[in-house]
Amino acid sequence: MTLDTPMIRLGTRGSPLALAQATEVQRRLIAAHPDLSEDGAVRVVEIKTTGDRVTDRPLAEIGGKGLFTKEIEAALAAREIDVAVHSMKDVPTWLPDGLELAAYLPREDVRDAFFSPHADSVAALPEGARVGSASLRRQAQLLLVRPDLKVGLIRGNVETRLRKLAAGEVDATLLAVAGLNRLGRAAAIQTRLSTDEMLPAVGQGAVGLEIRSDDEDTYKYIRTLNDVATETRVSAERACLEVLEGSCRTPIAALAEIGERERFHLRVLLAEPDGSAAWRTEREGPLGDALPLARDAGAELRRSAGEAFFERLADLF
């Protein structure tokens, strides 16, 4: 490399999925910008996060889903990397000062995949079956339709979870279809659950690129990768989440979609962790009204559940 050659450092977790996502960003950047084609101009930097190191407890008990991003964001703020590559469902509702989401890759399949040697669907699981999941969102939706199920903690990457399932530690588990697709493991998927059966997490299937707000040079490179439809959908889901002050302590699911004639449609679910109650709402309108519609949906659910609901969940962890 010469002194005039630009260099962009992509910070990421070290899991196989995270590395696959960062490599995709690297490939897209080089394809879009010939001046980045020189070897080493776009580098992938692995960063170990607390969420990767602590795998024996729910995220809510050790600080929330920000544990998958805070070390990467610290490296970004310290100028040790130029771009943080995130799975958007792991990104907290509020970003640190001085950082911003600059671009999104095209969104992958938002659905969850079901795996079990005993059944092909949640409904067909035996009475009292053990389902492994680290997600309160999945847990709540499972228990809404099958209160007899025993939902317990299972964390780790895709291979770890499938290995635990094969070893009989649980009777079933769920994984994001997007991650399996990005890992080239789509053929392993047993059943894809419809979004009516299992509404996805906010930002599920989307990869976001975070930069320093004052880094205009990196912004110009990264922004060319932005998928506007994904940006609109994920921004709306996160706007709803912000009103609900959502965290991994709160079972929240949301899916924004863009239909014919640029119509915006949003479905949102808020639930008790044990599936004993749930509140749902939908919004539809012009695409230009996506953010106010999403905030209005969040406000409705907040009123429906009541402030005591959020205070009680905060006290649980």
Side-chain angles (χ1 to χ4, degrees):
M1 294 179 62
T2 68
L3 291 177
D4 295 329
T5 303
M7 183 177 72
I8 296 178
R9 297 161 297 175
L10 307 174
T12 178
R13 297 167 57 195
S15 71
L17 175 56
L19 290 172
Q21 293 175 167
T23 300
E24 181 181 356
V25 175
Q26 181 185 47
R27 177 182 59 76
R28 287 175 178 267
L29 275 172
I30 292 170
H33 301 283
D35 58 332
L36 295 176
S37 61
E38 188 170 338
D39 187 41
V42 184
R43 300 178 181 176
V44 174
V45 180
E46 294 183 36
I47 298 172
K48 194 76 170 179
T49 70
T50 303
D52 293 312
R53 288 193 295 267
V54 182
T55 61
D56 60 344
R57 285 179 286 165
L59 293 177
E61 289 186 5
I62 56 176
K65 62 183 179 181
L67 296 175
F68 286 125
T69 62
K70 70 175 185 178
E71 284 90 352
I72 302 174
E73 289 177 327
L76 182 60
R79 301 181 183 273
E80 296 168 4
I81 59 172
D82 305 296
V83 181
V85 182
H86 299 302
S87 293
M88 282 307 302
K89 68 175 185 172
D90 293 335
V91 178
T93 313
W94 295 277
L95 302 180
D97 290 342
L99 304 183
E100 64 181 57
L101 289 162
Y104 299 83
L105 300 191
R107 196 171 197 174
E108 250 283 4
D109 194 323
V110 301
R111 292 174 294 176
D112 283 308
F114 173 84
F115 294 86
S116 175
H118 310 292
D120 288 327
S121 68
V122 174
L125 282 170
E127 181 84 13
R130 301 162 301 158
V131 182
S133 177
S135 164
L136 285 181
R137 169 190 66 87
R138 287 172 177 149
Q139 171 183 309
Q141 291 187 80
L142 286 168
L143 294 174
L144 277 169
V145 296
R146 287 289 306 272
D148 61 291
L149 296 177
K150 312 300 181 187
V151 184
L153 176 68
I154 181 173
R155 286 189 53 203
N157 61 34
V158 168
E159 297 304 329
T160 299
R161 297 187 196 196
L162 292 179
R163 188 165 57 248
K164 290 180 178 180
L165 176 64
E169 295 184 28
V170 292
D171 299 312
T173 192
L174 288 84
L175 296 167
V177 170
L180 293 159
N181 286 347
R182 290 192 171 109
L183 287 170
R185 295 295 307 277
I189 296 175
Q190 183 176 352
T191 304
R192 291 170 175 81
L193 301 179
S194 74
T195 57
D196 291 328
E197 294 175 277
M198 182 66 64
L199 200 62
V202 167
Q204 185 156 318
V207 173
L209 307 180
E210 186 181 23
I211 65 170
R212 293 181 295 277
S213 300
D214 62 359
D215 190 350
E216 295 181 6
D217 291 338
T218 299
Y219 177 85
K220 291 175 183 176
Y221 281 109
I222 294 301
R223 189 63 184 172
T224 62
L225 305 187
N226 188 55
D227 183 79
V228 176
T230 300
E231 180 179 39
T232 301
R233 294 171 64 192
V234 174
S235 296
E237 292 167 14
R238 288 174 59 81
C240 180
L241 188 69
E242 183 175 358
V243 173
L244 290 168
E245 297 182 2
S247 70
C248 64
R249 297 176 175 85
T250 316
I252 297 171
L255 179 60
E257 298 173 288
I258 301 173
E260 295 181 1
R261 298 185 297 278
E262 298 290 281
R263 295 289 291 179
F264 172 78
H265 183 221
L266 174 71
R267 289 178 284 158
V268 191
L269 166 75
L270 175 68
E272 291 279 4
D274 63 1
S276 59
W279 301 267
R280 302 175 191 266
T281 193
E282 297 188 26
R283 290 293 185 278
E284 185 172 349
L287 191 57
D289 292 340
L291 292 182
L293 286 169
R295 294 189 185 104
D296 187 62
E300 178 193 329
L301 289 182
R302 192 168 190 97
R303 290 192 300 270
S304 297
E307 292 305 313
F309 167 83
F310 296 94
E311 292 169 3
R312 179 166 47 78
L313 288 187
D315 290 341
L316 286 177
F317 301 100

